[in-house]
Amino acid sequence: MGGTTFSNFYIGTAKPREAFDELYSQARSEYGSDPYNGTISTTDLVKIEELPPRVSPEKYLEKYMDEVEKRECWCVELKRSYLQKVKKQVPTLKGKKGIRAYIFFGVASM
């Protein structure tokens, strides 16, 4: 079987593992438990890190997507100006504390 790349965005108050579990559960309920459905639900979370300063999320994914192995999911937490930018796009989050944003990406089985 092959693999396909994916990326999922999360914004909320969960920590990385909790956010991954939430996205995993959503994918399972939407696409079923097929181990080759091509979603985050066919992967394991293996790496969590913060977005480095002065690196855009797009550049980060472009640089590291090729390093992710099949059935792996990496998480990058958005910080500083990128976090503020995504918070502005969700009006209900204005002024709330403890909000975190992550991009989960990897190679899913297909």
Side-chain angles (χ1 to χ4, degrees):
M1 295 288 175
T4 185
T5 60
F6 71 90
S7 64
N8 291 90
F9 180 74
Y10 173 89
I11 187 164
T13 57
K15 293 181 175 152
R17 172 52 71 178
E18 296 164 340
F20 173 81
D21 290 344
E22 188 177 316
L23 293 171
Y24 184 98
S25 293
Q26 282 178 329
R28 295 250 328 185
S29 68
E30 202 170 315
Y31 297 95
S33 59
D34 178 3
Y36 299 101
N37 65 25
T39 69
I40 194 171
S41 69
T42 66
T43 66
D44 293 315
L45 182 60
V46 298
K47 187 172 187 174
I48 302 168
E49 62 183 30
E50 289 182 6
L51 185 67
R54 297 177 298 283
V55 176
S56 72
E58 296 82 11
K59 290 286 185 192
Y60 184 90
L61 265 63
E62 185 179 300
K63 181 176 180 181
Y64 291 107
M65 184 62 86
D66 290 340
E67 293 184 23
V68 181
E69 298 291 325
K70 188 174 173 185
R71 294 186 178 258
E72 283 187 353
C73 178
W74 290 14
C75 171
V76 61
E77 183 172 3
L78 304 183
K79 294 287 191 170
R80 298 167 291 283
S81 62
Y82 290 106
L83 177 58
Q84 296 309 316
K85 192 181 296 185
V86 296
K87 281 174 70 173
K88 285 181 183 177
Q89 294 175 2
V90 183
T92 57
L93 299 177
K94 187 176 181 184
K96 292 199 175 187
K97 301 226 186 264
I99 301 298
R100 302 170 93 171
Y102 310 105
I103 298 173
F104 293 90
F105 65 99
V107 180
S109 294
M110 193 166 165

